[in-house]
Amino acid sequence: SYRIMPKNSKVYFNKNEILNLIDSRRVKDKNYPQLLDRYEKAFLKGYNTSVLSIDNDVDNQIFSIIQSLVSHIQSVEIQDIFNPPDLPNPSEITRSNALKLQYAASDFWFENHREVDLQIWARTCLIKGDFFGFLRIDPKSDYPLKYDMLDPSEVILASDSIDNIQNQPWIARQLTTNISNLKRFVKNYFSNDKERIDKIYQHLALLEPSATITLYDFWSKVEGGQNTLLTSGGVEIYSKPWPFNYLNLYPFFQYKDIPILKRSRSISTVSMLIALQERFGKETRQIRENAEYVGNPPIVVDVESGIDINKIEGRPRLIVRKYKEGDFKIERVPSLPAYVQLSLIHISEPTRPLYIS
C-alpha cells in the first residue's frame, strides 16, 4: 500500500485519551486473557511444564494433534512474492524493483530465522487463534531489520469487528521492562535533550527501583497518524507524527488460524477440540473404571459362615462361591467384554491422535 499519509505536525491523541482508549478495550476484552490461558492449559494438560513429565492419568490428544500439525506446517515451503503496486506513475516502482524487494525479503527472513520460528508462530496460532509480529529497526545490529514475536494478549486492537489489521484505527502493543532498561532507552533516544531526560527520570524516581513497568506502544492512523510510547501510569516517553513518508502500513503483521469475516480475532483449533478432549477424557476414565470393577468385583462373606477372609482379601479378579457348610471355592471371573478391550487398545495409541475427530 503506497497511499501517502497526510502529514501532520501534531498528534491527534494525547496521553490521557490513549490510556482511556486502551482501558476501554481492556474492559471489553476482560475475558480474553483467561480464554487464552485456558487454551494453553488444555494443550499442556498432563505435562508438568517445569520438567515435562507425563501424567499417566491424562490421555491428552490435543497435544499430539497440535504437534502433528506444527510438524507438517514447518515442512511446507514458503515463497515470498511481491507484485508492483498499482500507482498513477508506473515508473515509480518497476518489476525489477519488485524483484529486488523479493530478494530483500528472503534475506530478511533468513537473518531473522523464520524457518526456526515458524513452529512458534504455528503453535501459538493453533492454541490461541492468532500470532502477531512487530517489525522494527535496530541500528546497532549487523542486520538492522528485526521483528519481535508478540503473544495475542499483548496486542490491543481498536475494534473487534475489523478483520484486516491494517484497517484498524489504532493498535497498541504492551511491553514490560524495568526502570534501569527504560532509563537506558530514554538516555539513548533523547541523547541531545537533557531537559527531556531529566523530566522522565523525575517521574521514574517516584517508583520502586525494582518495579516492573508496563509500556504501551500506541500506533494510530487517525488524522494523519501518530506513534506514542507511554507507561501505564501516564508518563509519556515520546509522541511523534506518523513516522513513515510513503507507507500507511502499521509495522504489525497477523498470522491467523481460523479467520472469521468481520472479526479481528480468529478461532483457535484448540478451542474447537477442548469439548471433544473433555468428553474423550471422561469416557476414558469410565472405561478404565469399568475395567477395574470387572476385574475386582465386590465380595460378600457371611460373617458366621466360617470363611477365612485372609484367604480372599486383596486378591483381584476373583469370584468366591460360598456353600452352606462354610466351605468356599475361588473361581476366575469371565474375560473383559470386547468393547472394553478395544477401547483400552484405542486409548493406548497416542500416536494416532486423529481418533478424537
Side-chain angles (χ1 to χ4, degrees):
S1 175
Y2 267 71
R3 182 176 65 82
I4 298 177
M5 293 286 288
K7 297 305 291 182
N8 190 354
S9 59
K10 296 181 179 180
V11 296
Y12 185 76
F13 297 108
N14 62 41
K15 63 180 182 181
N16 293 327
E17 291 171 330
I18 291 172
L19 290 177
N20 288 335
L21 288 172
I22 292 173
D23 288 342
S24 65
R25 285 307 309 173
R26 287 295 196 198
V27 171
K28 291 181 180 179
D29 298 338
K30 62 181 179 180
N31 295 325
Y32 183 63
Q34 287 82 355
L35 283 175
L36 297 184
D37 187 55
R38 183 190 175 204
Y39 301 156
E40 187 170 349
K41 286 180 178 177
F43 170 72
L44 294 172
K45 189 173 183 180
Y47 287 78
N48 183 325
T49 54
S50 60
V51 294
L52 293 180
S53 60
I54 297 178
D55 178 357
N56 292 324
D57 192 42
V58 177
D59 190 7
N60 189 350
Q61 298 289 298
I62 290 179
F63 184 88
S64 302
I65 291 173
I66 297 303
Q67 288 300 92
S68 298
L69 290 172
V70 168
S71 298
H72 171 70
I73 291 171
Q74 196 174 14
S75 66
V76 174
E77 182 181 356
I78 301 175
Q79 291 185 343
D80 299 300
I81 299 175
F82 284 78
N83 295 317
D86 185 13
L87 296 173
N89 183 5
S91 64
E92 195 168 334
I93 280 197
T94 63
R95 291 194 176 276
S96 61
N97 287 334
L99 190 60
K100 291 177 183 178
L101 286 173
Q102 190 167 330
Y103 292 145
S106 299
D107 291 341
F108 171 79
W109 288 123
F110 176 80
E111 295 290 341
N112 283 279
H113 314 293
R114 177 171 58 179
E115 290 188 5
V116 176
D117 291 346
L118 186 60
Q119 61 175 306
I120 301 176
W121 293 20
R123 192 178 294 109
T124 301
C125 209
L126 292 166
I127 295 172
K128 301 184 178 183
D130 297 283
F131 169 85
F132 291 89
F134 178 78
L135 303 171
R136 61 182 175 86
I137 294 176
D138 182 1
K140 295 184 179 180
S141 175
D142 292 336
Y143 188 85
L145 300 177
K146 303 290 184 182
Y147 87 96
D148 297 325
M149 293 184 283
L150 305 178
D151 187 88
S153 62
E154 298 172 337
V155 179
I156 306 154
L157 302 174
S159 172
D160 55 10
S161 59
I162 299 176
D163 51 16
N164 187 337
I165 190 174
Q166 294 299 334
N167 293 334
Q168 291 283 347
W170 58 266
I171 303 173
R173 63 172 179 140
Q174 179 179 311
L175 308 95
T176 54
T177 186
N178 55 44
I179 290 180
S180 60
N181 284 338
L182 184 55
K183 283 184 174 180
R184 191 179 306 114
F185 169 79
V186 168
K187 187 176 181 179
N188 292 332
Y189 190 85
F190 299 105
S191 56
N192 298 322
D193 191 347
K194 186 177 184 304
E195 182 180 349
R196 181 67 176 167
I197 294 174
D198 292 340
K199 186 177 179 180
I200 296 175
Y201 277 20
Q202 287 175 5
H203 288 290
L204 298 179
L206 301 175
L207 303 174
E208 291 289 334
S210 59
T212 299
I213 300 175
T214 299
L215 296 169
Y216 293 121
D217 186 16
F218 178 85
W219 293 77
S220 170
K221 293 184 180 180
V222 177
E223 294 295 328
Q226 73 182 82
N227 173 220
T228 301
L229 181 69
L230 72 166
T231 70
S232 58
V235 178
E236 185 178 283
I237 308 302
Y238 64 74
S239 190
K240 58 189 178 184
W242 188 257
F244 309 128
N245 290 327
Y246 298 103
L247 290 175
N248 69 325
L249 297 175
Y250 290 120
F252 293 85
F253 64 89
Q254 183 178 10
Y255 189 70
K256 297 184 176 185
D257 185 5
I258 306 173
I260 302 296
L261 184 65
K262 295 185 178 180
R263 278 189 57 175
S264 60
R265 305 281 185 176
S266 305
I267 297 175
S268 75
T269 297
V270 167
S271 70
M272 306 292 287
L273 295 175
I274 285 179
L276 292 173
Q277 174 64 54
E278 290 176 348
R279 178 180 173 184
F280 180 75
K282 180 180 178 181
E283 293 179 353
T284 300
R285 287 189 293 271
Q286 288 176 340
I287 291 171
R288 286 172 176 166
E289 260 182 35
N290 292 340
E292 291 174 0
Y293 289 155
V294 169
N296 297 275
I299 298 174
V300 179
V301 176
D302 189 342
V303 177
E304 298 177 354
S305 65
I307 294 177
D308 184 0
I309 61 174
N310 292 323
K311 293 183 179 180
I312 58 176
E313 278 190 339
R315 299 181 65 183
R317 296 183 62 82
L318 300 176
I319 289 180
V320 177
R321 184 171 294 178
K322 182 174 76 71
Y323 301 93
K324 290 182 179 180
E325 294 78 9
D327 294 334
F328 66 93
K329 182 180 180 182
I330 296 176
E331 296 182 355
R332 289 283 176 184
V333 298
S335 301
L336 290 174
Y339 86 92
V340 175
Q341 293 182 359
L342 291 174
S343 298
L344 290 173
I345 291 172
H346 159 58
I347 63 177
S348 66
E349 293 185 357
T351 56
R352 300 183 67 184
L354 294 181
Y355 272 137
I356 198 169
S357 64

